[in-house]
Amino acid sequence: MDTDAGLMAIMRSGVRMITAELTDGELAALYMAARLDQDPRGRPGYEKVVSLFTEGDGTRMHASTLEALDVVVLERLKP
Protein backbone atom coordinates (compact mmCIF):
# COMPACT_ATOMS: atom_id res chain seq x y z
CA MET A 1 0.00 0.00 0.00
CA ASP A 2 1.43 3.38 -0.92
CA THR A 3 1.70 6.16 1.62
CA ASP A 4 -1.20 8.26 0.27
CA ALA A 5 -3.56 5.28 0.17
CA GLY A 6 -2.52 4.30 3.68
CA LEU A 7 -3.13 7.80 5.00
CA MET A 8 -6.55 7.95 3.39
CA ALA A 9 -7.45 4.56 4.88
CA ILE A 10 -6.50 5.93 8.30
CA MET A 11 -8.56 9.08 7.66
CA ARG A 12 -11.60 7.04 6.63
CA SER A 13 -11.26 4.87 9.72
CA GLY A 14 -11.07 7.90 11.99
CA VAL A 15 -14.03 9.60 10.35
CA ARG A 16 -16.01 6.35 10.54
CA MET A 17 -15.32 6.09 14.28
CA ILE A 18 -16.16 9.75 14.96
CA THR A 19 -19.43 9.64 13.00
CA ALA A 20 -20.56 6.29 14.42
CA GLU A 21 -22.60 8.00 17.15
CA LEU A 22 -24.56 10.12 14.66
CA THR A 23 -28.01 9.14 13.50
CA ASP A 24 -28.39 8.84 9.73
CA GLY A 25 -30.26 12.16 9.75
CA GLU A 26 -27.50 13.91 11.69
CA LEU A 27 -24.86 12.46 9.37
CA ALA A 28 -26.75 13.62 6.28
CA ALA A 29 -27.33 17.12 7.67
CA LEU A 30 -23.71 17.61 8.67
CA TYR A 31 -22.47 16.18 5.39
CA MET A 32 -24.64 18.57 3.42
CA ALA A 33 -23.45 21.50 5.53
CA ALA A 34 -19.83 20.50 4.93
CA ARG A 35 -20.31 19.96 1.19
CA LEU A 36 -22.28 23.20 0.74
CA ASP A 37 -19.72 25.11 2.81
CA GLN A 38 -22.35 26.15 5.36
CA ASP A 39 -21.76 26.75 9.04
CA PRO A 40 -22.45 23.41 10.76
CA ARG A 41 -22.51 24.83 14.29
CA GLY A 42 -25.89 24.46 15.89
CA ARG A 43 -26.93 21.59 13.65
CA PRO A 44 -27.99 18.37 15.33
CA GLY A 45 -24.98 16.16 15.99
CA TYR A 46 -22.34 18.84 15.49
CA GLU A 47 -21.01 18.51 19.03
CA LYS A 48 -20.40 14.79 18.42
CA VAL A 49 -18.17 15.50 15.41
CA VAL A 50 -16.73 18.93 16.16
CA SER A 51 -13.24 17.42 15.89
CA LEU A 52 -13.77 16.92 12.14
CA PHE A 53 -14.26 20.65 11.58
CA THR A 54 -10.69 21.84 12.00
CA GLU A 55 -10.69 24.88 9.74
CA GLY A 56 -12.50 28.19 9.61
CA ASP A 57 -12.89 28.41 13.38
CA GLY A 58 -14.74 25.10 13.50
CA THR A 59 -16.91 25.70 10.45
CA ARG A 60 -15.03 23.80 7.74
CA MET A 61 -13.37 20.45 7.19
CA HIS A 62 -9.96 20.01 5.68
CA ALA A 63 -10.21 18.68 2.12
CA SER A 64 -8.79 15.29 3.14
CA THR A 65 -11.32 14.94 5.95
CA LEU A 66 -14.14 15.82 3.60
CA GLU A 67 -12.89 13.27 1.09
CA ALA A 68 -12.90 10.61 3.81
CA LEU A 69 -16.38 11.69 4.86
CA ASP A 70 -17.57 11.22 1.27
CA VAL A 71 -16.64 7.55 1.47
CA VAL A 72 -18.14 7.06 4.93
CA VAL A 73 -21.43 8.68 3.94
CA LEU A 74 -21.68 6.60 0.77
CA GLU A 75 -21.02 3.42 2.75
CA ARG A 76 -23.60 4.21 5.35
CA LEU A 77 -26.35 6.00 3.42
CA LYS A 78 -26.20 4.32 0.03
CA PRO A 79 -29.62 3.33 -1.29
Side-chain angles (χ1 to χ4, degrees):
M1 179 180 307
D2 69 42
T3 303
D4 288 341
L7 290 174
M8 280 312 297
I10 292 168
M11 288 290 297
R12 284 191 304 274
S13 179
V15 169
R16 196 175 290 113
M17 289 176 9
I18 291 168
T19 59
E21 297 294 318
L22 295 176
T23 66
D24 288 351
E26 290 170 337
L27 179 62
L30 288 166
Y31 178 67
M32 293 200 42
R35 271 287 159 206
L36 296 173
D37 201 24
Q38 296 175 345
D39 189 344
R41 295 175 292 187
R43 292 182 188 251
Y46 174 76
E47 292 304 319
K48 297 176 190 174
V49 296
V50 67
S51 63
L52 297 178
F53 291 86
T54 59
E55 299 191 1
D57 195 33
T59 63
R60 291 192 177 113
M61 286 185 191
H62 184 275
S64 296
T65 306
L66 191 51
E67 186 178 332
L69 184 64
D70 289 338
V71 174
V72 171
V73 169
L74 285 174
E75 288 173 354
R76 189 160 150 195
L77 301 180
K78 67 182 173 186

